[in-house]
Amino acid sequence: MTKTKLAAEYFSQGFNCSQSVFAVFAEKYGLDKELALKIGCGFGGGMRNAEVCGAVTGAIMVIGLKYGHIIGNDNNSKTLCYQKTLEFTNAFKRLNKSIICRDLLGCDISKPEEMNNAAEKGLFKTTCVEMICNAVELLERLGY
């Protein structure tokens, strides 16, 4: 199964967008899938505030696994990680016009009534899956 299909499958099983993206890459970079699912949990739904899309935050965590620095004053590694983050977020914006959950969905799911509207419109099964797939495909194109 491709990473894209696996991420969509995770989402269909009740994992959020961030978990779905992060978990399919985690083991490649030495992080246990179950731990990745736990770490990614709080980032779904734009950190429950309809802010940065969970698929994007999941991808940024993947970038951190590959390029993040582990020595406090390692500014070269930190700068590289930041550059790779911007490379991804800029590509995601070019593809989807935004990295903000409420802009991508066209509603603010941090508000209960708009969360219900998004569910009734099927946005979690359409737009969210599309964003997850876009994030995974972009990561793969960028060499992750």
Side-chain angles (χ1 to χ4, degrees):
M1 183 179 296
T2 67
K3 282 184 171 60
T4 303
K5 287 184 180 183
L6 183 56
E9 178 65 23
Y10 281 146
F11 191 72
S12 75
Q13 293 173 9
F15 293 106
N16 69 37
C17 40
S18 182
Q19 290 171 299
S20 299
V21 172
F22 189 42
V24 298
F25 290 91
E27 289 178 325
K28 178 177 181 179
Y29 296 104
L31 183 65
D32 178 79
K33 178 184 75 169
E34 287 78 18
L35 188 54
L37 290 168
K38 286 183 175 187
I39 291 168
C41 188
F43 292 94
M47 294 163 280
R48 309 314 319 145
N49 287 286
E51 293 290 340
V52 177
C53 169
V56 173
T57 57
I60 291 169
M61 287 188 284
V62 171
I63 294 166
L65 284 176
K66 184 170 182 177
Y67 292 106
H69 71 292
I70 58 170
I71 298 169
N73 291 320
D74 183 359
N75 290 325
N76 290 333
S77 293
K78 184 191 295 188
T79 298
L80 178 60
C81 187
Y82 288 173
Q83 289 171 345
K84 296 295 184 178
T85 298
L86 283 173
E87 178 183 36
F88 174 84
T89 55
N90 287 336
F92 192 92
K93 282 186 222 179
R94 279 192 301 276
L95 186 60
N96 301 295
K97 310 295 184 240
S98 182
I99 62 169
I100 303 300
C101 177
R102 69 178 149 273
D103 295 341
L104 296 166
L105 289 173
C107 58
D108 184 345
I109 62 170
S110 69
K111 298 175 181 172
E113 65 279 2
E114 291 191 44
M115 172 70 96
N116 292 336
N117 288 339
E120 287 172 10
K121 291 179 181 178
L123 298 178
F124 303 117
K125 293 180 180 180
T126 56
T127 304
C128 292
V129 172
E130 181 182 355
M131 295 306 110
I132 289 165
C133 293
N134 287 346
V136 171
E137 289 167 2
L138 276 174
L139 284 171
E140 289 185 309
R141 270 196 302 242
L142 293 171
Y144 294 88

